[in-house]
Amino acid sequence: MPTNLPPEALEAEQRYRAARSVADKIACLEEFISTIPKHKGTDKLRADLRRRLSKLKSSSQPRKGASKRDSPFRIDKEGAGQAVVVGPPNVGKSALVAALTNAAPEVADYPFTTWTPTPGMMPVENVQIQLIDTPPLNRDFVEPELMDLIRRSDLILLVVDLQSDAFHQLEDSIALLQEQRIVPCCKKDRYPQGQRLTFVPLLVLANKCDDEDACKDFEIFRQLLEDDWPLLHVSAATGRNLEDLKWAAFERLEIMRIYAKPPGAEPDLSTPFVLCKGSTVEEFARKVHQDFFENLKAARVWGSATYAGQMVQRDHVLHDGDVVELRI
Ligand SMILES: Nc1nc2c(ncn2[C@@H]2O[C@H](COP(=O)(O)OP(=O)(O)O)[C@@H](O)[C@H]2O)c(=O)[nH]1
Ligand SMILES: [Mg+2]
């Protein structure tokens, strides 16, 4: 440090050295730099300090990749619903997502293979349900962003391993979720109203049900459970009940498919509109186009109506598979 600095520069330097927070350091360093006389003898010092200042400034900015928006845990919903595949390590979450979707998450027989969520689309007849493979639920490190992802999802597929201690895996996982204020919809009645809880539909998948012996284990597991859980025994390895799993997920999402029929033409049965169960003709019209919603005069329904092509009102409740002709 050159000794020929004016006293105010030396004082500013002292303040800079004493500063603790990054913001203070930046402010004091800026002041220090401004008090140094500009001449050849101080060129190097000023260049050094400016470099230090820009380093401090960049370290105080939030890192680009670390922003919430870019987080791998922020996954836009796609298709008819978003289901998160969660559970303890090594139960076969990744294997199930690989077997059911176009995604190829890494599957391995050691825990914590999966670090970031991986989405994939699971076709169920003519709709697609988004499945998200996730890192394991872990008591030693509860990842807040994973909990947020679960909270935002439309369905939890909780996977347990029938060849390991499935009963405790289920109990532990449910307890861990509950500590994070995430409660399965089917247990809603047990909680007094007014608590800040998020209720999410849940389906328990007892995986590794590869053969008849494992099926017997599943019966024991089922009997051990005091409560009624929505349960399905599956095997990612042999494919057992994977087709049933798709429909069970569809059911739990409480959705239905409605087909639009233009007047005088056949409906397009390959691309349904997906609505919540119990939606009305009016809600269907809104989904098709705002104009239909505003100007809807009448509608004809095939499927759940008493007779084919029946004229119905705006408040007529639709059912999965209905074909609807909207008239404006
Ligand atoms: N026998 C059997 N093994 C499976 C099944 N599903 C997954 N595994 C095996 O279990 C281990 C863990 O699988 P993985 O999908 O990585 O589990 P994750 O940690 O829950 O994602 C791997 O060795 C898989 O091959 C299954 O249905 N039956
Ligand atoms: Mg995995």
Side-chain angles (χ1 to χ4, degrees):
M1 185 72 55
T3 48
N4 56 351
L5 286 179
E8 71 266 25
L10 292 173
E11 279 166 26
E13 189 211 4
Q14 294 264 304
R15 279 197 292 279
Y16 162 63
R17 292 200 182 278
R20 283 286 154 261
S21 73
V22 176
D24 276 351
K25 278 190 180 152
I26 290 174
C28 295
L29 189 54
E30 276 174 333
E31 194 204 353
F32 181 24
I33 293 171
S34 71
T35 54
I36 300 172
K38 294 190 181 75
H39 55 72
K40 257 216 138 3
T42 60
D43 272 354
K44 189 173 174 313
L45 174 68
R46 282 183 293 124
D48 279 353
L49 294 178
R50 258 192 249 106
R51 219 170 295 128
R52 211 177 292 175
L53 179 67
S54 81
K55 239 190 197 163
L56 273 175
K57 280 187 172 166
S58 66
S59 77
S60 72
Q61 302 276 323
R63 273 193 301 123
K64 267 222 172 91
S67 84
K68 268 223 154 148
R69 259 193 90 74
D70 295 340
S71 155
F73 288 87
R74 285 234 154 224
I75 297 174
D76 290 338
K77 288 188 180 182
E78 275 179 43
Q82 186 183 70
V84 280
V85 181
V86 301
N90 262 341
V91 293
K93 299 180 293 301
S94 300
L96 280 169
V97 171
L100 290 161
T101 73
N102 52 348
E106 197 184 342
V107 175
D109 62 356
Y110 49 86
F112 306 104
T113 321
T114 309
W115 283 105
T116 55
T118 311
M121 298 308 285
M122 170 173 78
V124 186
E125 218 170 80
N126 52 3
V127 293
Q128 306 245 0
I129 295 174
Q130 186 183 42
L131 292 193
I132 302 181
D133 184 25
T134 62
L137 294 177
N138 176 9
R139 228 164 239 296
D140 299 330
F141 177 64
V142 177
E143 167 62 74
E145 287 199 273
L146 172 60
M147 295 303 145
D148 284 343
L149 173 68
I150 298 174
R151 245 177 241 120
R152 284 191 303 268
S153 72
D154 303 313
L155 173 66
I156 298 171
L157 297 174
L158 174 58
V159 186
V160 293
D161 180 348
L162 271 183
Q163 298 183 10
S164 179
D165 192 348
F167 181 75
H168 281 114
Q169 289 179 346
L170 174 64
E171 276 197 326
D172 261 14
S173 306
I174 293 292
L176 194 147
L177 290 173
Q178 191 192 300
E179 284 157 28
Q180 299 298 315
R181 304 184 157 274
I182 300 168
V183 175
C185 276
C186 56
K187 304 290 172 235
K188 199 170 184 170
D189 297 348
R190 304 216 175 144
Y191 295 84
Q193 285 193 342
Q195 295 193 38
R196 278 180 35 246
L197 298 169
T198 307
F199 297 99
V200 186
L202 179 138
L203 172 66
V204 180
L205 299 175
N207 189 36
K208 308 201 187 177
C209 193
D210 301 347
D211 50 28
E212 292 318 307
D213 280 351
C215 278
K216 284 184 194 139
D217 292 341
F218 174 66
E219 275 316 309
I220 296 167
F221 168 63
R222 197 213 293 264
Q223 283 160 18
L224 274 176
L225 298 173
E226 284 172 10
D227 281 353
D228 252 358
W229 287 97
L231 266 182
L232 187 65
H233 51 304
V234 296
S235 165
T238 69
R240 182 193 294 267
N241 282 347
L242 292 192
E243 203 50 36
D244 289 3
L245 189 171
K246 293 179 175 188
W247 287 107
F250 182 92
E251 279 300 316
R252 292 266 131 205
L253 283 169
E254 308 235 336
I255 49 178
M256 60 177 184
R257 295 159 299 169
I258 307 295
Y259 304 91
K261 177 188 175 312
E266 286 303 306
D268 176 2
L269 296 179
S270 64
T271 44
F273 287 83
V274 176
L275 282 97
C276 296
K277 248 186 188 168
S279 296
T280 59
V281 164
E282 187 172 73
E283 283 153 328
F284 171 64
R286 192 199 295 272
K287 191 108 190 181
V288 176
H289 198 281
Q290 187 66 17
D291 284 354
F292 279 109
F293 174 70
E294 280 165 17
N295 304 316
L296 187 67
K297 297 273 184 320
R300 297 178 71 194
V301 174
W302 286 257
S304 68
T306 314
Y307 56 89
Q310 188 180 346
M311 281 286 204
V312 297
Q313 301 295 315
R314 293 174 79 107
D315 61 357
H316 176 84
V317 175
L318 295 168
H319 292 84
D320 184 47
D322 278 356
V323 172
V324 181
E325 184 181 288
L326 298 171
R327 299 206 172 166
I328 54 175

